[in-house]
PDB file of all heavy atoms in Angstrom:
ATOM      1  N   GLN A  11    -156.542 133.334  59.192  1.00 91.00           N
ATOM      2  CA  GLN A  11    -155.643 133.175  58.053  1.00 91.00           C
ATOM      3  C   GLN A  11    -154.232 132.862  58.526  1.00 91.00           C
ATOM      4  O   GLN A  11    -153.539 132.006  57.963  1.00 91.00           O
ATOM      5  CB  GLN A  11    -155.651 134.465  57.222  1.00 91.00           C
ATOM      6  CG  GLN A  11    -154.803 134.389  55.958  1.00 91.00           C
ATOM      7  CD  GLN A  11    -155.352 133.404  54.945  1.00 91.00           C
ATOM      8  OE1 GLN A  11    -156.568 133.246  54.828  1.00 91.00           O
ATOM      9  NE2 GLN A  11    -154.461 132.727  54.244  1.00 91.00           N
ATOM     10  N   LEU A  12    -153.780 133.539  59.570  1.00 90.00           N
ATOM     11  CA  LEU A  12    -152.437 133.271  60.109  1.00 90.00           C
ATOM     12  C   LEU A  12    -152.332 131.856  60.662  1.00 90.00           C
ATOM     13  O   LEU A  12    -151.333 131.157  60.465  1.00 90.00           O
ATOM     14  CB  LEU A  12    -152.116 134.301  61.196  1.00 90.00           C
ATOM     15  CG  LEU A  12    -150.793 134.112  61.935  1.00 90.00           C
ATOM     16  CD1 LEU A  12    -149.620 134.191  60.958  1.00 90.00           C
ATOM     17  CD2 LEU A  12    -150.647 135.154  63.054  1.00 90.00           C
ATOM     18  N   LEU A  13    -153.393 131.417  61.371  1.00 93.00           N
ATOM     19  CA  LEU A  13    -153.376 130.063  61.933  1.00 93.00           C
ATOM     20  C   LEU A  13    -153.327 129.000  60.829  1.00 93.00           C
ATOM     21  O   LEU A  13    -152.586 128.000  60.949  1.00 93.00           O
ATOM     22  CB  LEU A  13    -154.620 129.857  62.793  1.00 93.00           C
ATOM     23  CG  LEU A  13    -154.750 128.501  63.488  1.00 93.00           C
ATOM     24  CD1 LEU A  13    -153.562 128.279  64.422  1.00 93.00           C
ATOM     25  CD2 LEU A  13    -156.066 128.420  64.255  1.00 93.00           C
ATOM     26  N   GLN A  14    -154.074 129.182  59.753  1.00 93.00           N
ATOM     27  CA  GLN A  14    -154.032 128.225  58.632  1.00 93.00           C
ATOM     28  C   GLN A  14    -152.638 128.156  58.013  1.00 93.00           C
ATOM     29  O   GLN A  14    -152.154 127.073  57.655  1.00 93.00           O
ATOM     30  CB  GLN A  14    -155.070 128.630  57.582  1.00 93.00           C
ATOM     31  CG  GLN A  14    -156.509 128.422  58.016  1.00 93.00           C
ATOM     32  CD  GLN A  14    -157.485 128.825  56.930  1.00 93.00           C
ATOM     33  OE1 GLN A  14    -157.094 129.201  55.822  1.00 93.00           O
ATOM     34  NE2 GLN A  14    -158.783 128.780  57.246  1.00 93.00           N
ATOM     35  N   THR A  15    -152.008 129.276  57.878  1.00 92.00           N
ATOM     36  CA  THR A  15    -150.645 129.302  57.315  1.00 92.00           C
ATOM     37  C   THR A  15    -149.677 128.548  58.211  1.00 92.00           C
ATOM     38  O   THR A  15    -148.815 127.782  57.745  1.00 92.00           O
ATOM     39  CB  THR A  15    -150.184 130.759  57.128  1.00 92.00           C
ATOM     40  OG1 THR A  15    -151.107 131.463  56.280  1.00 92.00           O
ATOM     41  CG2 THR A  15    -148.804 130.800  56.512  1.00 92.00           C
ATOM     42  N   ILE A  16    -149.804 128.752  59.514  1.00 93.00           N
ATOM     43  CA  ILE A  16    -148.908 128.037  60.460  1.00 93.00           C
ATOM     44  C   ILE A  16    -149.135 126.533  60.382  1.00 93.00           C
ATOM     45  O   ILE A  16    -148.178 125.744  60.361  1.00 93.00           O
ATOM     46  CB  ILE A  16    -149.141 128.574  61.889  1.00 93.00           C
ATOM     47  CG1 ILE A  16    -148.687 130.035  61.992  1.00 93.00           C
ATOM     48  CG2 ILE A  16    -148.409 127.701  62.904  1.00 93.00           C
ATOM     49  CD1 ILE A  16    -149.038 130.695  63.317  1.00 93.00           C
ATOM     50  N   VAL A  17    -150.414 126.119  60.333  1.00 94.00           N
ATOM     51  CA  VAL A  17    -150.712 124.687  60.246  1.00 94.00           C
ATOM     52  C   VAL A  17    -150.169 124.097  58.948  1.00 94.00           C
ATOM     53  O   VAL A  17    -149.585 122.999  58.923  1.00 94.00           O
ATOM     54  CB  VAL A  17    -152.235 124.465  60.363  1.00 94.00           C
ATOM     55  CG1 VAL A  17    -152.584 123.007  60.050  1.00 94.00           C
ATOM     56  CG2 VAL A  17    -152.726 124.833  61.747  1.00 94.00           C
ATOM     57  N   GLU A  18    -150.334 124.789  57.843  1.00 92.00           N
ATOM     58  CA  GLU A  18    -149.845 124.293  56.554  1.00 92.00           C
ATOM     59  C   GLU A  18    -148.327 124.163  56.562  1.00 92.00           C
ATOM     60  O   GLU A  18    -147.760 123.203  56.030  1.00 92.00           O
ATOM     61  CB  GLU A  18    -150.303 125.236  55.451  1.00 92.00           C
ATOM     62  CG  GLU A  18    -150.014 124.710  54.043  1.00 92.00           C
ATOM     63  CD  GLU A  18    -150.623 125.607  52.968  1.00 92.00           C
ATOM     64  OE1 GLU A  18    -151.290 126.602  53.308  1.00 92.00           O
ATOM     65  OE2 GLU A  18    -150.419 125.294  51.771  1.00 92.00           O
ATOM     66  N   MET A  19    -147.654 125.136  57.159  1.00 91.00           N
ATOM     67  CA  MET A  19    -146.187 125.050  57.263  1.00 91.00           C
ATOM     68  C   MET A  19    -145.758 123.849  58.106  1.00 91.00           C
ATOM     69  O   MET A  19    -144.785 123.153  57.774  1.00 91.00           O
ATOM     70  CB  MET A  19    -145.638 126.343  57.880  1.00 91.00           C
ATOM     71  CG  MET A  19    -145.694 127.537  56.958  1.00 91.00           C
ATOM     72  SD  MET A  19    -144.941 129.003  57.718  1.00 91.00           S
ATOM     73  CE  MET A  19    -143.221 128.482  57.820  1.00 91.00           C
ATOM     74  N   ALA A  20    -146.518 123.585  59.202  1.00 93.00           N
ATOM     75  CA  ALA A  20    -146.178 122.431  60.051  1.00 93.00           C
ATOM     76  C   ALA A  20    -146.345 121.115  59.289  1.00 93.00           C
ATOM     77  O   ALA A  20    -145.511 120.197  59.399  1.00 93.00           O
ATOM     78  CB  ALA A  20    -147.049 122.444  61.302  1.00 93.00           C
ATOM     79  N   ASN A  21    -147.392 121.015  58.482  1.00 94.00           N
ATOM     80  CA  ASN A  21    -147.615 119.789  57.697  1.00 94.00           C
ATOM     81  C   ASN A  21    -146.502 119.577  56.673  1.00 94.00           C
ATOM     82  O   ASN A  21    -146.000 118.454  56.486  1.00 94.00           O
ATOM     83  CB  ASN A  21    -148.970 119.856  56.990  1.00 94.00           C
ATOM     84  CG  ASN A  21    -150.134 119.747  57.965  1.00 94.00           C
ATOM     85  OD1 ASN A  21    -149.996 119.177  59.053  1.00 94.00           O
ATOM     86  ND2 ASN A  21    -151.291 120.295  57.590  1.00 94.00           N
ATOM     87  N   ILE A  22    -146.123 120.656  56.010  1.00 92.00           N
ATOM     88  CA  ILE A  22    -145.057 120.534  55.000  1.00 92.00           C
ATOM     89  C   ILE A  22    -143.726 120.194  55.662  1.00 92.00           C
ATOM     90  O   ILE A  22    -142.932 119.396  55.151  1.00 92.00           O
ATOM     91  CB  ILE A  22    -144.970 121.831  54.177  1.00 92.00           C
ATOM     92  CG1 ILE A  22    -146.249 122.002  53.342  1.00 92.00           C
ATOM     93  CG2 ILE A  22    -143.750 121.798  53.258  1.00 92.00           C
ATOM     94  CD1 ILE A  22    -146.302 123.290  52.557  1.00 92.00           C
ATOM     95  N   GLU A  23    -143.444 120.790  56.823  1.00 92.00           N
ATOM     96  CA  GLU A  23    -142.204 120.466  57.536  1.00 92.00           C
ATOM     97  C   GLU A  23    -142.189 118.986  57.951  1.00 92.00           C
ATOM     98  O   GLU A  23    -141.145 118.320  57.881  1.00 92.00           O
ATOM     99  CB  GLU A  23    -142.057 121.381  58.754  1.00 92.00           C
ATOM    100  CG  GLU A  23    -141.687 122.809  58.406  1.00 92.00           C
ATOM    101  CD  GLU A  23    -141.640 123.695  59.637  1.00 92.00           C
ATOM    102  OE1 GLU A  23    -142.063 123.196  60.720  1.00 92.00           O
ATOM    103  OE2 GLU A  23    -141.205 124.851  59.536  1.00 92.00           O
ATOM    104  N   ARG A  24    -143.350 118.514  58.428  1.00 93.00           N
ATOM    105  CA  ARG A  24    -143.422 117.089  58.783  1.00 93.00           C
ATOM    106  C   ARG A  24    -143.216 116.187  57.547  1.00 93.00           C
ATOM    107  O   ARG A  24    -142.500 115.180  57.609  1.00 93.00           O
ATOM    108  CB  ARG A  24    -144.770 116.790  59.433  1.00 93.00           C
ATOM    109  CG  ARG A  24    -144.877 115.340  59.928  1.00 93.00           C
ATOM    110  CD  ARG A  24    -146.141 115.117  60.757  1.00 93.00           C
ATOM    111  NE  ARG A  24    -147.344 115.374  59.977  1.00 93.00           N
ATOM    112  CZ  ARG A  24    -148.121 116.444  60.119  1.00 93.00           C
ATOM    113  NH1 ARG A  24    -147.804 117.376  61.024  1.00 93.00           N
ATOM    114  NH2 ARG A  24    -149.208 116.635  59.372  1.00 93.00           N
ATOM    115  N   GLN A  25    -143.798 116.550  56.409  1.00 93.00           N
ATOM    116  CA  GLN A  25    -143.629 115.771  55.189  1.00 93.00           C
ATOM    117  C   GLN A  25    -142.175 115.807  54.721  1.00 93.00           C
ATOM    118  O   GLN A  25    -141.632 114.795  54.268  1.00 93.00           O
ATOM    119  CB  GLN A  25    -144.548 116.323  54.095  1.00 93.00           C
ATOM    120  CG  GLN A  25    -144.599 115.470  52.836  1.00 93.00           C
ATOM    121  CD  GLN A  25    -145.207 114.112  53.095  1.00 93.00           C
ATOM    122  OE1 GLN A  25    -146.224 114.011  53.768  1.00 93.00           O
ATOM    123  NE2 GLN A  25    -144.572 113.070  52.606  1.00 93.00           N
ATOM    124  N   ARG A  26    -141.553 116.986  54.864  1.00 91.00           N
ATOM    125  CA  ARG A  26    -140.139 117.088  54.472  1.00 91.00           C
ATOM    126  C   ARG A  26    -139.265 116.184  55.340  1.00 91.00           C
ATOM    127  O   ARG A  26    -138.326 115.537  54.860  1.00 91.00           O
ATOM    128  CB  ARG A  26    -139.674 118.543  54.590  1.00 91.00           C
ATOM    129  CG  ARG A  26    -138.246 118.758  54.093  1.00 91.00           C
ATOM    130  CD  ARG A  26    -137.756 120.159  54.400  1.00 91.00           C
ATOM    131  NE  ARG A  26    -136.449 120.391  53.846  1.00 91.00           N
ATOM    132  CZ  ARG A  26    -135.305 119.914  54.357  1.00 91.00           C
ATOM    133  NH1 ARG A  26    -135.340 119.182  55.481  1.00 91.00           N
ATOM    134  NH2 ARG A  26    -134.148 120.194  53.785  1.00 91.00           N
ATOM    135  N   GLY A  27    -139.586 116.165  56.647  1.00 91.00           N
ATOM    136  CA  GLY A  27    -138.828 115.265  57.527  1.00 91.00           C
ATOM    137  C   GLY A  27    -138.992 113.803  57.129  1.00 91.00           C
ATOM    138  O   GLY A  27    -138.033 113.011  57.201  1.00 91.00           O
ATOM    139  N   GLU A  28    -140.195 113.416  56.706  1.00 92.00           N
ATOM    140  CA  GLU A  28    -140.422 112.051  56.266  1.00 92.00           C
ATOM    141  C   GLU A  28    -139.633 111.739  54.988  1.00 92.00           C
ATOM    142  O   GLU A  28    -139.057 110.658  54.851  1.00 92.00           O
ATOM    143  CB  GLU A  28    -141.928 111.834  56.023  1.00 92.00           C
ATOM    144  CG  GLU A  28    -142.299 110.422  55.589  1.00 92.00           C
ATOM    145  CD  GLU A  28    -142.045 109.390  56.655  1.00 92.00           C
ATOM    146  OE1 GLU A  28    -141.928 109.768  57.850  1.00 92.00           O
ATOM    147  OE2 GLU A  28    -141.941 108.190  56.304  1.00 92.00           O
ATOM    148  N   TYR A  29    -139.582 112.707  54.084  1.00 89.00           N
ATOM    149  CA  TYR A  29    -138.781 112.518  52.866  1.00 89.00           C
ATOM    150  C   TYR A  29    -137.306 112.330  53.218  1.00 89.00           C
ATOM    151  O   TYR A  29    -136.615 111.469  52.646  1.00 89.00           O
ATOM    152  CB  TYR A  29    -138.940 113.724  51.941  1.00 89.00           C
ATOM    153  CG  TYR A  29    -140.307 113.856  51.314  1.00 89.00           C
ATOM    154  CD1 TYR A  29    -140.809 115.108  50.944  1.00 89.00           C
ATOM    155  CD2 TYR A  29    -141.098 112.729  51.099  1.00 89.00           C
ATOM    156  CE1 TYR A  29    -142.066 115.230  50.378  1.00 89.00           C
ATOM    157  CE2 TYR A  29    -142.366 112.850  50.533  1.00 89.00           C
ATOM    158  CZ  TYR A  29    -142.845 114.096  50.184  1.00 89.00           C
ATOM    159  OH  TYR A  29    -144.091 114.211  49.620  1.00 89.00           O
ATOM    160  N   SER A  30    -136.825 113.108  54.143  1.00 90.00           N
ATOM    161  CA  SER A  30    -135.413 112.990  54.549  1.00 90.00           C
ATOM    162  C   SER A  30    -135.148 111.629  55.190  1.00 90.00           C
ATOM    163  O   SER A  30    -134.100 111.004  54.948  1.00 90.00           O
ATOM    164  CB  SER A  30    -135.053 114.112  55.522  1.00 90.00           C
ATOM    165  OG  SER A  30    -135.209 115.385  54.919  1.00 90.00           O
ATOM    166  N   ARG A  31    -136.084 111.187  56.023  1.00 90.00           N
ATOM    167  CA  ARG A  31    -135.901 109.877  56.662  1.00 90.00           C
ATOM    168  C   ARG A  31    -135.906 108.749  55.628  1.00 90.00           C
ATOM    169  O   ARG A  31    -135.084 107.838  55.696  1.00 90.00           O
ATOM    170  CB  ARG A  31    -137.013 109.652  57.689  1.00 90.00           C
ATOM    171  CG  ARG A  31    -136.789 108.453  58.601  1.00 90.00           C
ATOM    172  CD  ARG A  31    -137.952 108.276  59.543  1.00 90.00           C
ATOM    173  NE  ARG A  31    -139.132 107.834  58.831  1.00 90.00           N
ATOM    174  CZ  ARG A  31    -139.365 106.554  58.503  1.00 90.00           C
ATOM    175  NH1 ARG A  31    -138.487 105.622  58.820  1.00 90.00           N
ATOM    176  NH2 ARG A  31    -140.469 106.232  57.863  1.00 90.00           N
ATOM    177  N   GLN A  32    -136.811 108.822  54.660  1.00 89.00           N
ATOM    178  CA  GLN A  32    -136.861 107.805  53.612  1.00 89.00           C
ATOM    179  C   GLN A  32    -135.590 107.832  52.761  1.00 89.00           C
ATOM    180  O   GLN A  32    -135.096 106.778  52.327  1.00 89.00           O
ATOM    181  CB  GLN A  32    -138.089 108.024  52.726  1.00 89.00           C
ATOM    182  CG  GLN A  32    -139.420 107.739  53.415  1.00 89.00           C
ATOM    183  CD  GLN A  32    -139.598 106.263  53.724  1.00 89.00           C
ATOM    184  OE1 GLN A  32    -138.966 105.400  53.132  1.00 89.00           O
ATOM    185  NE2 GLN A  32    -140.455 105.973  54.691  1.00 89.00           N
ATOM    186  N   LEU A  33    -135.069 109.023  52.530  1.00 88.00           N
ATOM    187  CA  LEU A  33    -133.826 109.138  51.761  1.00 88.00           C
ATOM    188  C   LEU A  33    -132.660 108.466  52.483  1.00 88.00           C
ATOM    189  O   LEU A  33    -131.860 107.750  51.877  1.00 88.00           O
ATOM    190  CB  LEU A  33    -133.519 110.617  51.519  1.00 88.00           C
ATOM    191  CG  LEU A  33    -132.245 110.921  50.704  1.00 88.00           C
ATOM    192  CD1 LEU A  33    -132.346 110.328  49.307  1.00 88.00           C
ATOM    193  CD2 LEU A  33    -131.991 112.426  50.641  1.00 88.00           C
ATOM    194  N   ASP A  34    -132.574 108.699  53.801  1.00 87.00           N
ATOM    195  CA  ASP A  34    -131.502 108.048  54.570  1.00 87.00           C
ATOM    196  C   ASP A  34    -131.734 106.536  54.684  1.00 87.00           C
ATOM    197  O   ASP A  34    -130.772 105.765  54.750  1.00 87.00           O
ATOM    198  CB  ASP A  34    -131.422 108.663  55.971  1.00 87.00           C
ATOM    199  CG  ASP A  34    -131.020 110.134  55.915  1.00 87.00           C
ATOM    200  OD1 ASP A  34    -130.396 110.527  54.913  1.00 87.00           O
ATOM    201  OD2 ASP A  34    -131.352 110.875  56.874  1.00 87.00           O
ATOM    202  N   LYS A  35    -133.004 106.135  54.719  1.00 86.00           N
ATOM    203  CA  LYS A  35    -133.315 104.711  54.897  1.00 86.00           C
ATOM    204  C   LYS A  35    -132.972 103.882  53.669  1.00 86.00           C
ATOM    205  O   LYS A  35    -132.748 102.667  53.781  1.00 86.00           O
ATOM    206  CB  LYS A  35    -134.811 104.555  55.220  1.00 86.00           C
ATOM    207  CG  LYS A  35    -135.213 103.145  55.603  1.00 86.00           C
ATOM    208  CD  LYS A  35    -136.689 103.076  55.952  1.00 86.00           C
ATOM    209  CE  LYS A  35    -137.088 101.641  56.306  1.00 86.00           C
ATOM    210  NZ  LYS A  35    -138.525 101.539  56.642  1.00 86.00           N
ATOM    211  N   ILE A  36    -132.923 104.507  52.503  1.00 85.00           N
ATOM    212  CA  ILE A  36    -132.609 103.739  51.291  1.00 85.00           C
ATOM    213  C   ILE A  36    -131.277 103.032  51.442  1.00 85.00           C
ATOM    214  O   ILE A  36    -131.155 101.828  51.196  1.00 85.00           O
ATOM    215  CB  ILE A  36    -132.617 104.673  50.059  1.00 85.00           C
ATOM    216  CG1 ILE A  36    -134.045 105.103  49.741  1.00 85.00           C
ATOM    217  CG2 ILE A  36    -132.009 103.964  48.850  1.00 85.00           C
ATOM    218  CD1 ILE A  36    -134.132 106.087  48.591  1.00 85.00           C
ATOM    219  N   ASP A  37    -130.259 103.755  51.862  1.00 83.00           N
ATOM    220  CA  ASP A  37    -128.924 103.147  52.012  1.00 83.00           C
ATOM    221  C   ASP A  37    -128.873 102.195  53.195  1.00 83.00           C
ATOM    222  O   ASP A  37    -128.312 101.095  53.095  1.00 83.00           O
ATOM    223  CB  ASP A  37    -127.873 104.250  52.174  1.00 83.00           C
ATOM    224  CG  ASP A  37    -127.658 105.023  50.876  1.00 83.00           C
ATOM    225  OD1 ASP A  37    -127.861 104.433  49.788  1.00 83.00           O
ATOM    226  OD2 ASP A  37    -127.305 106.216  50.937  1.00 83.00           O
ATOM    227  N   SER A  38    -129.450 102.581  54.339  1.00 85.00           N
ATOM    228  CA  SER A  38    -129.373 101.713  55.521  1.00 85.00           C
ATOM    229  C   SER A  38    -130.157 100.416  55.304  1.00 85.00           C
ATOM    230  O   SER A  38    -129.679  99.324  55.646  1.00 85.00           O
ATOM    231  CB  SER A  38    -129.911 102.458  56.745  1.00 85.00           C
ATOM    232  OG  SER A  38    -131.276 102.843  56.556  1.00 85.00           O
ATOM    233  N   GLN A  39    -131.373 100.524  54.734  1.00 85.00           N
ATOM    234  CA  GLN A  39    -132.156  99.321  54.477  1.00 85.00           C
ATOM    235  C   GLN A  39    -131.481  98.428  53.438  1.00 85.00           C
ATOM    236  O   GLN A  39    -131.521  97.198  53.533  1.00 85.00           O
ATOM    237  CB  GLN A  39    -133.567  99.701  54.006  1.00 85.00           C
ATOM    238  CG  GLN A  39    -134.511  98.511  53.849  1.00 85.00           C
ATOM    239  CD  GLN A  39    -134.755  97.805  55.161  1.00 85.00           C
ATOM    240  OE1 GLN A  39    -134.966  98.462  56.186  1.00 85.00           O
ATOM    241  NE2 GLN A  39    -134.718  96.480  55.160  1.00 85.00           N
ATOM    242  N   ASN A  40    -130.851  99.056  52.464  1.00 84.00           N
ATOM    243  CA  ASN A  40    -130.119  98.275  51.463  1.00 84.00           C
ATOM    244  C   ASN A  40    -128.974  97.502  52.107  1.00 84.00           C
ATOM    245  O   ASN A  40    -128.726  96.329  51.771  1.00 84.00           O
ATOM    246  CB  ASN A  40    -129.585  99.211  50.380  1.00 84.00           C
ATOM    247  CG  ASN A  40    -128.854  98.457  49.281  1.00 84.00           C
ATOM    248  OD1 ASN A  40    -129.444  97.749  48.478  1.00 84.00           O
ATOM    249  ND2 ASN A  40    -127.536  98.594  49.265  1.00 84.00           N
ATOM    250  N   HIS A  41    -128.271  98.129  53.055  1.00 85.00           N
ATOM    251  CA  HIS A  41    -127.195  97.437  53.761  1.00 85.00           C
ATOM    252  C   HIS A  41    -127.751  96.278  54.589  1.00 85.00           C
ATOM    253  O   HIS A  41    -127.164  95.183  54.630  1.00 85.00           O
ATOM    254  CB  HIS A  41    -126.434  98.419  54.662  1.00 85.00           C
ATOM    255  CG  HIS A  41    -125.385  99.190  53.936  1.00 85.00           C
ATOM    256  ND1 HIS A  41    -125.693 100.135  52.982  1.00 85.00           N
ATOM    257  CD2 HIS A  41    -124.025  99.153  54.014  1.00 85.00           C
ATOM    258  CE1 HIS A  41    -124.568 100.654  52.502  1.00 85.00           C
ATOM    259  NE2 HIS A  41    -123.536 100.080  53.116  1.00 85.00           N
ATOM    260  N   ILE A  42    -128.877  96.516  55.256  1.00 87.00           N
ATOM    261  CA  ILE A  42    -129.478  95.435  56.057  1.00 87.00           C
ATOM    262  C   ILE A  42    -129.862  94.256  55.178  1.00 87.00           C
ATOM    263  O   ILE A  42    -129.565  93.089  55.493  1.00 87.00           O
ATOM    264  CB  ILE A  42    -130.710  95.975  56.810  1.00 87.00           C
ATOM    265  CG1 ILE A  42    -130.285  97.005  57.866  1.00 87.00           C
ATOM    266  CG2 ILE A  42    -131.477  94.830  57.470  1.00 87.00           C
ATOM    267  CD1 ILE A  42    -131.454  97.712  58.541  1.00 87.00           C
ATOM    268  N   ASP A  43    -130.520  94.542  54.057  1.00 86.00           N
ATOM    269  CA  ASP A  43    -130.922  93.468  53.144  1.00 86.00           C
ATOM    270  C   ASP A  43    -129.712  92.746  52.558  1.00 86.00           C
ATOM    271  O   ASP A  43    -129.712  91.513  52.416  1.00 86.00           O
ATOM    272  CB  ASP A  43    -131.781  94.035  52.012  1.00 86.00           C
ATOM    273  CG  ASP A  43    -133.114  94.582  52.516  1.00 86.00           C
ATOM    274  OD1 ASP A  43    -133.533  94.183  53.627  1.00 86.00           O
ATOM    275  OD2 ASP A  43    -133.720  95.409  51.804  1.00 86.00           O
ATOM    276  N   ASP A  44    -128.668  93.513  52.231  1.00 84.00           N
ATOM    277  CA  ASP A  44    -127.474  92.887  51.652  1.00 84.00           C
ATOM    278  C   ASP A  44    -126.773  91.983  52.660  1.00 84.00           C
ATOM    279  O   ASP A  44    -126.287  90.895  52.303  1.00 84.00           O
ATOM    280  CB  ASP A  44    -126.502  93.961  51.158  1.00 84.00           C
ATOM    281  CG  ASP A  44    -126.963  94.582  49.844  1.00 84.00           C
ATOM    282  OD1 ASP A  44    -127.880  94.010  49.222  1.00 84.00           O
ATOM    283  OD2 ASP A  44    -126.423  95.634  49.449  1.00 84.00           O
ATOM    284  N   TRP A  45    -126.706  92.411  53.917  1.00 88.00           N
ATOM    285  CA  TRP A  45    -126.076  91.564  54.936  1.00 88.00           C
ATOM    286  C   TRP A  45    -126.867  90.273  55.137  1.00 88.00           C
ATOM    287  O   TRP A  45    -126.277  89.192  55.278  1.00 88.00           O
ATOM    288  CB  TRP A  45    -125.970  92.326  56.267  1.00 88.00           C
ATOM    289  CG  TRP A  45    -124.789  93.250  56.355  1.00 88.00           C
ATOM    290  CD1 TRP A  45    -124.810  94.601  56.447  1.00 88.00           C
ATOM    291  CD2 TRP A  45    -123.409  92.866  56.326  1.00 88.00           C
ATOM    292  NE1 TRP A  45    -123.537  95.107  56.485  1.00 88.00           N
ATOM    293  CE2 TRP A  45    -122.651  94.061  56.422  1.00 88.00           C
ATOM    294  CE3 TRP A  45    -122.738  91.652  56.235  1.00 88.00           C
ATOM    295  CZ2 TRP A  45    -121.270  94.063  56.419  1.00 88.00           C
ATOM    296  CZ3 TRP A  45    -121.346  91.651  56.240  1.00 88.00           C
ATOM    297  CH2 TRP A  45    -120.629  92.839  56.328  1.00 88.00           C
TER     298      TRP A  45
END
């Protein structure tokens, strides 16, 4: 049970990091496209 909880937390942390990267990419990609 403890191992499953740790794995689930790792997956959510990885997904959160992806959300953060996509959030930052919106502005940077928009600047690239605009240039």
Side-chain angles (χ1 to χ4, degrees):
Q11 183 66 34
L12 176 61
L13 181 60
Q14 290 181 3
T15 303
I16 293 173
V17 171
E18 188 174 358
M19 288 183 66
N21 290 335
I22 293 177
E23 287 176 352
R24 184 171 61 254
Q25 188 65 45
R26 185 188 184 284
E28 181 66 19
Y29 291 152
S30 299
R31 191 182 70 82
Q32 291 292 339
L33 181 61
D34 296 336
K35 188 178 179 180
I36 289 177
D37 290 332
S38 60
Q39 186 63 44
N40 182 71
H41 277 68
I42 293 173
D43 294 339
D44 284 347
W45 278 115

